[in-house]
Short mmCIF file of all heavy atoms in Angstrom, two decimals:
data_model
loop_
_atom_site.label_atom_id
_atom_site.label_comp_id
_atom_site.label_asym_id
_atom_site.label_seq_id
_atom_site.Cartn_x
_atom_site.Cartn_y
_atom_site.Cartn_z
N ARG Z 9 1.80 -6.14 -43.73
CA ARG Z 9 1.50 -4.72 -43.90
C ARG Z 9 2.64 -3.86 -43.38
O ARG Z 9 2.94 -2.82 -43.96
CB ARG Z 9 0.21 -4.36 -43.15
CG ARG Z 9 -1.06 -4.92 -43.76
CD ARG Z 9 -1.29 -4.43 -45.19
NE ARG Z 9 -1.17 -3.00 -45.35
CZ ARG Z 9 -2.11 -2.12 -45.06
NH1 ARG Z 9 -3.27 -2.51 -44.59
NH2 ARG Z 9 -1.90 -0.83 -45.23
N PHE Z 33 4.44 -7.26 -60.76
CA PHE Z 33 5.34 -6.12 -60.63
C PHE Z 33 5.66 -5.84 -59.16
O PHE Z 33 4.80 -6.03 -58.30
CB PHE Z 33 4.67 -4.84 -61.19
CG PHE Z 33 4.13 -4.96 -62.57
CD1 PHE Z 33 2.89 -5.57 -62.80
CD2 PHE Z 33 4.83 -4.46 -63.65
CE1 PHE Z 33 2.38 -5.68 -64.09
CE2 PHE Z 33 4.32 -4.56 -64.94
CZ PHE Z 33 3.10 -5.16 -65.16
N GLN Z 37 7.58 3.04 -53.30
CA GLN Z 37 6.99 4.37 -53.33
C GLN Z 37 7.60 5.21 -52.23
O GLN Z 37 7.53 4.85 -51.05
CB GLN Z 37 5.47 4.29 -53.17
CG GLN Z 37 4.78 5.63 -53.32
CD GLN Z 37 3.27 5.51 -53.18
OE1 GLN Z 37 2.77 4.67 -52.46
NE2 GLN Z 37 2.54 6.36 -53.90
N LEU Z 45 9.60 1.38 -60.52
CA LEU Z 45 9.55 -0.05 -60.79
C LEU Z 45 10.89 -0.70 -60.43
O LEU Z 45 11.95 -0.26 -60.89
CB LEU Z 45 9.24 -0.28 -62.28
CG LEU Z 45 9.13 -1.72 -62.73
CD1 LEU Z 45 7.94 -2.41 -62.06
CD2 LEU Z 45 8.99 -1.77 -64.25
N GLY Z 98 0.72 -8.18 -74.20
CA GLY Z 98 1.18 -7.04 -74.98
C GLY Z 98 0.63 -5.71 -74.57
O GLY Z 98 0.85 -4.71 -75.24
N GLY Z 99 -0.10 -5.64 -73.50
CA GLY Z 99 -0.55 -4.34 -73.04
C GLY Z 99 -2.04 -4.13 -73.23
O GLY Z 99 -2.73 -4.93 -73.84
N GLY Z 100 -2.54 -3.03 -72.70
CA GLY Z 100 -3.96 -2.69 -72.82
C GLY Z 100 -4.81 -3.19 -71.68
O GLY Z 100 -6.03 -3.10 -71.74
N GLU Z 102 -5.69 -3.70 -67.36
CA GLU Z 102 -5.71 -2.97 -66.10
C GLU Z 102 -4.70 -3.57 -65.13
O GLU Z 102 -4.45 -4.78 -65.15
CB GLU Z 102 -7.12 -3.07 -65.51
CG GLU Z 102 -7.44 -2.10 -64.42
CD GLU Z 102 -8.94 -2.06 -64.15
OE1 GLU Z 102 -9.71 -2.68 -64.92
OE2 GLU Z 102 -9.33 -1.42 -63.16
N GLN Z 103 -4.16 -2.72 -64.27
CA GLN Z 103 -3.21 -3.16 -63.26
C GLN Z 103 -3.90 -3.15 -61.91
O GLN Z 103 -4.62 -2.19 -61.59
CB GLN Z 103 -1.99 -2.25 -63.26
CG GLN Z 103 -0.79 -2.81 -62.52
CD GLN Z 103 0.45 -1.99 -62.71
OE1 GLN Z 103 0.43 -0.78 -62.63
NE2 GLN Z 103 1.58 -2.66 -62.93
N PRO Z 107 -2.16 -4.27 -50.96
CA PRO Z 107 -2.29 -3.23 -49.95
C PRO Z 107 -0.98 -2.56 -49.56
O PRO Z 107 -0.99 -1.53 -48.89
CB PRO Z 107 -2.88 -3.97 -48.75
CG PRO Z 107 -2.40 -5.37 -48.93
CD PRO Z 107 -2.36 -5.62 -50.40
N TYR L 31 -1.08 2.10 -74.63
CA TYR L 31 -2.22 1.20 -74.77
C TYR L 31 -3.42 1.73 -73.99
O TYR L 31 -4.56 1.60 -74.43
CB TYR L 31 -1.87 -0.19 -74.25
CG TYR L 31 -1.01 -0.99 -75.18
CD1 TYR L 31 0.34 -1.16 -74.92
CD2 TYR L 31 -1.54 -1.57 -76.32
CE1 TYR L 31 1.14 -1.90 -75.77
CE2 TYR L 31 -0.74 -2.31 -77.18
CZ TYR L 31 0.60 -2.47 -76.90
OH TYR L 31 1.38 -3.19 -77.74
N ASN L 32 -3.16 2.26 -72.81
CA ASN L 32 -4.24 2.81 -72.01
C ASN L 32 -3.70 3.78 -70.97
O ASN L 32 -2.48 3.91 -70.80
CB ASN L 32 -5.06 1.69 -71.33
CG ASN L 32 -4.25 0.87 -70.34
OD1 ASN L 32 -3.52 1.41 -69.52
ND2 ASN L 32 -4.40 -0.45 -70.38
N GLN L 34 -4.61 4.80 -66.91
CA GLN L 34 -5.39 4.35 -65.75
C GLN L 34 -5.28 5.38 -64.63
O GLN L 34 -4.19 5.89 -64.36
CB GLN L 34 -4.86 2.98 -65.28
CG GLN L 34 -5.74 2.25 -64.31
CD GLN L 34 -5.28 0.79 -64.07
OE1 GLN L 34 -4.30 0.33 -64.65
NE2 GLN L 34 -5.99 0.09 -63.21
N GLN L 38 -5.29 6.67 -53.92
CA GLN L 38 -4.51 6.08 -52.84
C GLN L 38 -4.80 6.83 -51.54
O GLN L 38 -4.58 8.03 -51.44
CB GLN L 38 -3.01 6.11 -53.14
CG GLN L 38 -2.18 5.39 -52.10
CD GLN L 38 -0.70 5.36 -52.43
OE1 GLN L 38 -0.18 6.28 -53.05
NE2 GLN L 38 -0.02 4.29 -52.03
N GLY L 41 -1.09 5.49 -46.51
CA GLY L 41 -0.60 4.22 -46.01
C GLY L 41 -1.21 2.99 -46.65
O GLY L 41 -0.99 1.87 -46.19
N SER L 46 -7.94 1.12 -58.29
CA SER L 46 -8.22 1.56 -59.64
C SER L 46 -9.57 2.27 -59.70
O SER L 46 -10.57 1.79 -59.16
CB SER L 46 -8.23 0.37 -60.59
OG SER L 46 -8.49 0.78 -61.91
N GLN L 51 -8.95 3.06 -72.59
CA GLN L 51 -8.13 2.46 -73.64
C GLN L 51 -7.72 3.54 -74.64
O GLN L 51 -8.36 4.58 -74.75
CB GLN L 51 -8.92 1.36 -74.35
CG GLN L 51 -9.34 0.21 -73.45
CD GLN L 51 -8.19 -0.63 -72.94
OE1 GLN L 51 -7.03 -0.45 -73.35
NE2 GLN L 51 -8.48 -1.56 -72.05
N ASN L 93 0.19 3.11 -69.77
CA ASN L 93 0.59 1.74 -70.07
C ASN L 93 1.22 1.67 -71.46
O ASN L 93 0.57 1.96 -72.46
CB ASN L 93 -0.64 0.83 -69.98
CG ASN L 93 -0.35 -0.60 -70.38
OD1 ASN L 93 -1.22 -1.30 -70.89
ND2 ASN L 93 0.88 -1.06 -70.15
N ASN L 96 4.23 -3.91 -71.61
CA ASN L 96 3.99 -4.56 -70.33
C ASN L 96 4.36 -3.68 -69.14
O ASN L 96 4.32 -4.14 -68.00
CB ASN L 96 4.78 -5.87 -70.24
CG ASN L 96 4.13 -6.98 -71.04
OD1 ASN L 96 2.92 -6.99 -71.20
ND2 ASN L 96 4.92 -7.89 -71.57
N GLN L 97 4.70 -2.43 -69.38
CA GLN L 97 5.10 -1.56 -68.28
C GLN L 97 4.11 -0.42 -68.10
O GLN L 97 3.40 -0.02 -69.03
CB GLN L 97 6.49 -0.99 -68.54
CG GLN L 97 7.60 -2.02 -68.38
CD GLN L 97 8.90 -1.38 -67.96
OE1 GLN L 97 8.93 -0.52 -67.07
NE2 GLN L 97 10.00 -1.80 -68.58
#
Side-chain angles (χ1 to χ4, degrees):
Chain Z
R9 289 300 311 278
F33 307 80
Q37 185 179 31
L45 181 65
E102 195 167 352
Q103 195 172 45
Chain L
Y31 284 104
N32 63 46
Q34 193 170 359
Q38 186 177 31
S46 181
Q51 299 292 353
N93 175 210
N96 283 330
Q97 288 209 44

